[in-house]
Amino acid sequence: AHPSVLHIYVNGLPYRQESNHNSYIYQVILQKEGSYDDLIGLRKIIENGIMTLLMEQRMSAESYKAISKSCDKLLKELKREPEDVEKILEADIEFHKKVAEATENSLVMVVHDVIIQLTRASRKKTIEKVIEKGDKEYLEFTHKNLLEKLNGDNVNALYQAINDSYFYWKDIYK
């Protein structure tokens, strides 16, 4: 095994990243009672950690530009009529992936990819709910706000922006 590759095992069997989005690990996590709250906590830990790391190490101008470009793509998808939930989802995932890539840390990216796998279905449901409620501006605001706070130096404002971005997502299965 390569030392920079994180190997994840479930019940002694290797978990493969390329498995489908309704993978075994997702089912194992969500079948446990209270596991959705655990998943919210796990996502917060990973995303807060990624963004704190970026704030501490001051991301490169190229990384900021890549994140900004992915944010613009998401905003464009949100303005499209009629909405294409799958394209919005992919643009949202790309935005968060660019944030993780900006750390230039391969282990962060591997762990972040697992979080994406685990939250993909709930992110899609969240997008559908936001569209149904006519609140696409919420998604626009939260992503622009995260981008702005990431480029600042107030970690508490960043944490608040991250928490604000979970408003719909945190209750999607309640």
Side-chain angles (χ1 to χ4, degrees):
H2 192 274
S4 68
V5 175
L6 177 65
H7 294 276
I8 299 171
Y9 293 87
V10 177
N11 293 340
L13 299 172
Y15 167 69
R16 299 198 194 300
Q17 230 179 305
E18 63 273 7
S19 64
N20 73 21
H21 300 304
N22 295 319
S23 63
Y24 181 69
I25 192 168
Y26 184 78
Q27 293 165 11
V28 167
I29 286 175
L30 290 185
Q31 74 186 7
K32 183 180 152 280
E33 193 174 324
S35 61
Y36 194 69
D37 289 335
D38 292 348
L39 182 58
I40 291 167
L42 181 61
R43 182 179 173 192
K44 281 184 179 180
I45 287 167
I46 301 304
E47 288 190 351
N48 283 11
I50 287 171
M51 294 187 192
T52 303
L53 185 61
L54 282 179
M55 193 175 264
E56 286 173 1
Q57 68 188 29
R58 302 308 300 168
M59 74 180 114
S60 69
E62 301 86 54
S63 291
Y64 182 79
K65 193 173 178 179
I67 297 167
S68 184
K69 190 175 173 185
S70 66
C71 187
D72 290 344
K73 183 177 181 196
L74 174 60
L75 299 179
K76 186 177 151 198
E77 289 301 334
L78 285 166
K79 289 185 185 338
R80 189 184 304 265
E81 295 284 344
E83 300 90 354
D84 184 330
V85 172
E86 203 58 44
K87 283 187 176 177
I88 295 169
L89 175 65
E90 290 308 318
D92 175 63
I93 288 171
E94 186 65 19
F95 172 84
H96 291 281
K97 185 178 178 187
K98 292 294 179 197
V99 172
E101 287 174 354
T103 65
E104 298 178 6
N105 182 320
S106 61
L107 291 178
V108 165
M109 289 183 273
V110 168
V111 172
H112 183 264
D113 283 347
V114 171
I115 295 297
I116 292 295
Q117 293 273 355
L118 295 174
T119 60
R120 185 180 196 89
S122 59
R123 286 174 191 248
K124 184 175 182 179
K125 282 179 81 79
T126 301
I127 291 165
E128 291 167 345
K129 182 178 179 180
V130 167
I131 290 169
E132 179 187 308
K133 290 200 173 281
D135 198 8
K136 291 189 293 185
E137 294 78 20
Y138 159 80
L139 287 174
E140 293 173 16
F141 169 77
T142 55
H143 287 82
K144 286 194 288 192
N145 193 30
L146 281 172
L147 185 63
E148 178 190 314
K149 300 303 185 272
L150 263 177
N151 209 28
D153 56 11
N154 182 340
V155 74
N156 289 323
L158 177 62
Y159 291 158
Q160 187 60 55
I162 295 167
N163 279 327
D164 290 347
S165 75
Y166 294 155
F167 178 77
Y168 282 99
W169 180 75
K170 67 181 172 50
D171 295 327
I172 204 72
Y173 286 120
K174 292 201 174 175

